């Protein structure tokens, strides 16, 4: 049996180059390696923070169009929207009953919000925390376990959440005996670079330092031109590894291309030329896909249709898992 892999992206922002290189591209490569792959849009996870209906709809379409434009093949993989699979939410409740509150207290996404509030001098430890944020890993466990998944490719920040899914699956199997559900494993790609944003920190929508994948050529140029550089003149030799422009280039380009640009840095390069090299490389990477993205965004009904077809395929497995779990716990007629 080929291994089954699954990963999801929350529609909480317009996809950026960090998402492409850190999540989308590595996940799509797994399907090329002959694994059975499922990709989905975690729209109900986004509801923990996105509370504007139009925005949630728009971002969901953007994330879907991004996956498809970047090469996801809906015939060869299963591509769907989390909210189209009701079994996930039924499982979530069942899993809630097997999840220790202490595990949630330690969960990363929740702790990060508490830490940020503390830093701002907030006295109430529960300020700004809804139950969706608090029990987020339980929904994530249901996303995974519903489909008998073996491997979950995620960034380092999500490793702990997948481990919680593992704990939940093991607890169910322990309590009811045998293999009621499949126990998943995180798959962390250590080589995937953390792509820096235009201010040099990790590219993230939380920092507002991102380069959108499918920005228009004009907007792309504007974003790259905002990358902060020093005032050294063009002829001064420069250290590529100390340059954000080079770091982003390297994450995208082949080793050979990176080597060539590094040589230009060492023999002296104007910042304008370095930025142009980056703009051209991003353009080369996404130019063709952008046309596909724009065409998809102009036809939301087509995206909806593809996602609905994917959900119908995905539900077959989710229903089978649900039947097994219901039977195991004694919810049967
Ligand atoms: P953001 O930090 O913008 O909120 P998300 O947390 O929604 O991004 O990330 C979605 C996926 O993209 C995750 O798998 C995450 O590991 C990956 N990712 C996000 N930012 C980067 C980055 N700067 N470099 C590499 N991967 C990233
Ligand atoms: N929590 C993930 C993130 O923030 C998104 C996600 C939701 C996910 N459910 C998942 C990822 C299941 C992998 C598997 O990036």
């Amino acid at each position: 049996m080929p291994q089954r892999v699954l990963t999801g992206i929350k529609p909480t922002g317009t996809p950026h180059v960090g998402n492409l290189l850190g999540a989308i591209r590595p996940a799509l490569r797994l399907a090329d390696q002959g694994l059975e792959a499922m990709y989905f849009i975690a729209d109900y996870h986004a509801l923990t923070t996105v509370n504007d209906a139009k925005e949630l709809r728009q971002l969901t379409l953007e994330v879907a169009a991004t996956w498809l434009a970047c090469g996801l093949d809906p015939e060869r993989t299963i591509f769907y929207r989390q909210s189209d699979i009701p079994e996930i939410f039924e499982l979530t409740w069942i899993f809630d009953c097997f999840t220790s509150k202490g595990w949630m207290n330690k969960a990363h996404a929740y702790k990060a919000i508490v830490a940020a509030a503390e830093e701002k001098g907030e006295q109430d430890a529960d300020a700004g925390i809804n139950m969706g944020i608090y029990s987020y890993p339980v929904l994530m466990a249901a996303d995974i376990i519903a489909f008998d998944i073996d491997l979950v490719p995620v960034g380092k920040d999500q490793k702990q959440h997948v481990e919680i899914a593992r704990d939940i699956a093991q607890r169910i199997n322990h309590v009811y005996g045998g293999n009621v559900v499949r126990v998943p494993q995180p798959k962390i790609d250590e080589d995937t670079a953390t792509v820096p944003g235009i201010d040099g920190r990790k590219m993230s929508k939380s920092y507002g330092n991102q380069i959108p994948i499918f920005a228009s050529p004009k907007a792309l140029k504007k974003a790259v031109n905002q990358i902060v550089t020093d005032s050294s003149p063009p002829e001064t030799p420069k250290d590529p590894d100390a340059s954000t422009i080079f770091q982003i280039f390297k994450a995208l380009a082949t080793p050979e291309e990176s080597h060539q640009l590094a040589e230009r840095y060492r023999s002296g390069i104007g910042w304008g030329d370095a930025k142009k090299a980056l703009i051209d490389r991003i353009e080369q990477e996404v130019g063709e896909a952008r046309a596909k993205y724009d065409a998809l965004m102009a036809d939301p009904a087509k995206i909806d249709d593809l996602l609905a077809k994917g959900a119908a395929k995905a539900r077959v497995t989710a229903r089978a898992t649900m039947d097994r779990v219901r039977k195991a716990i004694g919810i049967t007629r």
Side-chain angles (χ1 to χ4, degrees), residues 123-139:
Q123 301 293 317
D124 175 5
D126 294 328
I129 309 287
N130 59 49
M131 284 304 292
I133 290 170
Y134 189 64
S135 59
Y136 180 108
V138 186
L139 178 56

Side-chain angles (χ1 to χ4, degrees), residues 6-10 40 42 45 82 136 139-140 143-144 152-154 157-158 161-162:
L6 162 145
T7 199
I9 292 192
K10 280 181 298 182
F40 73 99
H45 267 118
Q82 179 187 38
Y136 180 108
L139 178 56
M140 186 158 158
D143 287 334
I144 299 167
V152 187
V154 281
D157 59 321
Q158 295 296 319
H161 291 160
V162 182

Side-chain angles (χ1 to χ4, degrees), residues 10 45 48-49 104-122 124-136 161 206:
K10 280 181 298 182
H45 267 118
T48 58
T49 51
M104 298 299 98
N105 293 341
K106 288 189 213 131
H108 247 66
Y110 160 66
K111 270 178 53 183
I113 296 174
V114 174
E118 248 172 39
E119 214 164 89
K120 281 195 199 138
E122 176 59 60
D124 175 5
D126 294 328
I129 309 287
N130 59 49
M131 284 304 292
I133 290 170
Y134 189 64
S135 59
Y136 180 108
H161 291 160
S206 325

Side-chain angles (χ1 to χ4, degrees), residues 249-250 252-259 281:
F249 185 93
K250 195 172 138 192
L252 197 69
T254 63
E256 180 53 35
E257 289 167 333
S258 304
H259 178 74
R281 191 60 187 78

